[in-house]
Amino acid sequence: LPHLVEGLRSNSTVKVLDLHGNRITDLRAEYLEMLLLSNSTLSRLDLSDNRIGDVGAQNLGTALQRNCTLTALDLGGTHIT
């Protein structure tokens, strides 16, 4: 995940990213937070069926406060309470 995020941070073409079912945890969600803070083209992100919990959701929420391009985020089937 770190290498994928690094490659997408300056991306100007990928608009949809499907990462469902990849066992992403709160720790790995920090990388996605960095992605959302720096990427300005991603509009849809599917993180469903991962192991993201409340801490990861909070990190994503922080990034979403500053991200203006993401319009759809799927967190179904995660460990968020």
Side-chain angles (χ1 to χ4, degrees):
L1 190 61
H3 298 293
L4 174 67
V5 168
E6 185 59 36
L8 289 173
R9 286 180 76 180
S10 60
N11 161 67
S12 62
T13 55
V14 176
K15 296 182 187 302
V16 177
L17 184 59
D18 185 344
L19 294 173
H20 84 277
N22 278 283
R23 300 180 182 157
I24 297 170
T25 62
D26 285 338
L27 182 62
R28 295 294 184 183
E30 290 180 17
Y31 291 106
L32 296 171
E33 177 186 12
M34 290 186 293
L35 172 64
L36 292 174
L37 288 170
S38 60
N39 182 283
S40 60
T41 57
L42 197 62
S43 64
R44 297 181 65 193
L45 178 59
D46 185 351
L47 297 174
S48 62
D49 299 319
N50 279 290
R51 297 176 182 170
I52 299 170
D54 295 337
V55 172
Q58 186 174 16
N59 291 341
L60 292 171
T62 299
L64 289 172
Q65 290 176 352
R66 296 195 329 206
N67 180 294
C68 299
T69 57
L70 195 72
T71 58
L73 175 62
D74 189 345
L75 293 169
T78 59
H79 297 190
I80 300 169
T81 58

